Amino acid sequence: MAALRGGSVAACVLPLEVERKFLVPTPPDWLSSCRAQEIEQGYLAIEGDEVEVRLRRSGDDTYLTVKRGSGEQRTEVEVEVGAEQFAALWPLTAGRRLSKARHHVPTEGGDLEVDVYRGALEGLITAEIEFGPGDQPQSFEPPEWVGDELTGNPAYANQSLATQGVPADAPAQRAPRPDS
Amino acid sequence: MAALRGGSVAACVLPLEVERKFLVPTPPDWLSSCRAQEIEQGYLAIEGDEVEVRLRRSGDDTYLTVKRGSGEQRTEVEVEVGAEQFAALWPLTAGRRLSKARHHVPTEGGDLEVDVYRGALEGLITAEIEFGPGDQPQSFEPPEWVGDELTGNPAYANQSLATQGVPADAPAQRAPRPDS
């Protein structure tokens, strides 16, 4: 990982991510006690499957992330941007935003990031785990409160959720509570 | 024009551009004596006709520009980026770059920007003029060394030149000099 730092600017060429993603049909009671951060992100550009340019605010930190290519040819670069750069660019993400609370949940098999979506995506909760070069993603055993696997399902990619909303055929989504 | 400034960061929401563009078949002898700056630019994302995200270096200044929408709905935001942000993001523009020397040429009808393209686009020279709210673009009379009008021709948009090269049917392009 090549990291450049200087002043308030940090830029990283991120390693290729291998991750698995799951639906969380009903979150465990204790989830809200886990360390969490509010994340707001929007897409400046989505060029088919080839490129995405994303703005993200996580607490006081603001980033611009560019992903290009796919599979082994994928490159991802993240640069920290200043508050004014962020404020100027953010309006151009209108209509392609999402927000979520990301909870950090240690489990026996590894650390899960549990995203509780807000706003238009309210009700959707996913859990993700990232694997490094030496890890064996397929041997990960998710805890029992984790539901259907979403790995590789493009409808659950954040850029799809931001533009298309929750997929109509979402498996195991909680039905709205009936008025009674 | 809303301008935000702070530290080394400048961000502008640019006014809608009305401009006319022309081919320059043979540049005037005195062009090289005009004030000029070398410009290098590359595209991080080109999302159809809807969005482009461009990096530009002009001398020591480096910018990220995002254009979204078209016609009256078009928005353009430019933020100054630091040298390290630029260096981290620039590799992601591979295969979609161009460079040119932009000459500032005062004429009776207004100031022309004459772009002498470099590298793969060598031989192409264009002249552009921008008009403000009170101007009458159609009453502009180009000087006699200016050739065919390219206004609105998408093949001569810089993002097309960066990805597709000079159009095959370029009017009035100078033929390569025959070996003799």
Side-chain angles (χ1 to χ4, degrees):
Chain A
M1 181 154 115
L4 306 166
R5 287 177 186 283
S8 66
V9 174
C12 298
V13 177
L14 302 177
L16 278 179
E17 288 171 1
V18 177
E19 60 190 26
R20 291 178 67 189
K21 193 172 187 174
F22 304 88
L23 207 64
V24 177
T26 307
D29 293 341
W30 44 259
L31 183 64
S32 59
S33 69
C34 294
R35 181 168 66 84
Q37 60 199 143
E38 294 291 333
I39 291 175
E40 194 176 15
Q41 64 193 42
Y43 294 86
L44 285 171
I46 301 170
E47 188 185 326
D49 295 334
E50 183 60 21
V51 183
E52 72 175 51
V53 184
R54 185 186 76 194
L55 283 176
R56 176 183 274 185
R57 180 184 359 232
S58 173
D60 290 337
D61 299 324
T62 46
Y63 302 95
L64 175 81
T65 307
V66 181
K67 301 181 187 186
R68 183 169 179 185
S70 55
E72 295 297 306
Q73 298 302 312
R74 187 152 166 255
T75 309
E76 182 172 340
V77 173
E78 185 165 87
V79 299
E80 217 174 303
V81 294
E84 293 185 31
Q85 290 174 315
F86 186 88
L89 294 170
W90 183 250
L92 291 169
T93 65
R96 345 206 244 192
R97 298 174 183 160
L98 61 78
S99 56
K100 58 190 180 182
R102 169 159 286 183
H103 299 73
H104 299 272
V105 180
T107 74
E108 282 189 19
D111 292 348
L112 282 173
E113 291 177 337
V114 178
D115 288 341
V116 177
Y117 289 84
R118 309 292 199 193
L121 299 170
E122 185 87 41
L124 177 65
I125 305 175
T126 62
E128 251 178 69
I129 180 166
E130 293 186 5
F131 301 95
D135 298 334
Q136 294 192 299
Q138 289 318 313
S139 63
F140 168 69
E141 292 194 15
E144 87 288 344
W145 48 270
V146 158
D148 291 348
E149 182 149 10
L150 303 172
T151 305
N153 185 334
Y156 286 89
N158 270 209
Q159 59 159 261
S160 300
L161 294 173
T163 54
Q164 310 295 325
V166 178
D169 62 346
Q173 257 218 294
R174 288 172 300 173
R177 185 180 306 207
D179 293 326
S180 60
Chain B
M1 181 153 113
L4 307 166
R5 290 182 183 277
S8 66
V9 174
C12 297
V13 177
L14 302 177
L16 277 179
E17 288 171 1
V18 177
E19 59 189 27
R20 291 178 69 189
K21 191 173 186 172
F22 303 87
L23 207 62
V24 177
T26 306
D29 292 341
W30 43 259
L31 183 64
S32 59
S33 68
C34 294
R35 183 168 63 86
Q37 62 200 143
E38 293 290 334
I39 291 175
E40 193 177 17
Q41 63 193 42
Y43 294 85
L44 286 171
I46 301 170
E47 189 185 327
D49 295 334
E50 183 59 21
V51 182
E52 72 174 50
V53 183
R54 184 186 76 194
L55 283 176
R56 176 183 275 186
R57 179 183 2 231
S58 174
D60 289 337
D61 300 324
T62 46
Y63 303 94
L64 175 82
T65 306
V66 182
K67 301 182 186 186
R68 184 170 177 183
S70 56
E72 294 298 306
Q73 298 302 312
R74 187 153 166 255
T75 309
E76 183 172 340
V77 173
E78 185 165 87
V79 299
E80 216 176 302
V81 295
E84 293 185 32
Q85 291 174 316
F86 186 88
L89 294 169
W90 183 251
L92 291 169
T93 66
R96 343 207 247 191
R97 298 175 183 158
L98 60 77
S99 55
K100 59 190 180 182
R102 170 159 286 184
H103 299 74
H104 300 273
V105 180
T107 74
E108 280 190 20
D111 291 346
L112 283 172
E113 291 176 338
V114 178
D115 288 340
V116 177
Y117 289 84
R118 308 292 198 192
L121 299 169
E122 185 87 41
L124 177 65
I125 304 175
T126 63
E128 251 178 69
I129 180 166
E130 294 187 5
F131 301 95
D135 298 334
Q136 294 192 301
Q138 289 318 313
S139 64
F140 168 70
E141 293 194 16
E144 87 288 346
W145 48 269
V146 159
D148 291 347
E149 182 149 10
L150 303 172
T151 305
N153 184 334
Y156 286 89
N158 270 210
Q159 58 159 261
S160 299
L161 294 174
T163 53
Q164 311 294 324
V166 178
D169 62 345
Q173 255 217 295
R174 288 173 299 172
R177 184 179 305 207
D179 292 326
S180 59

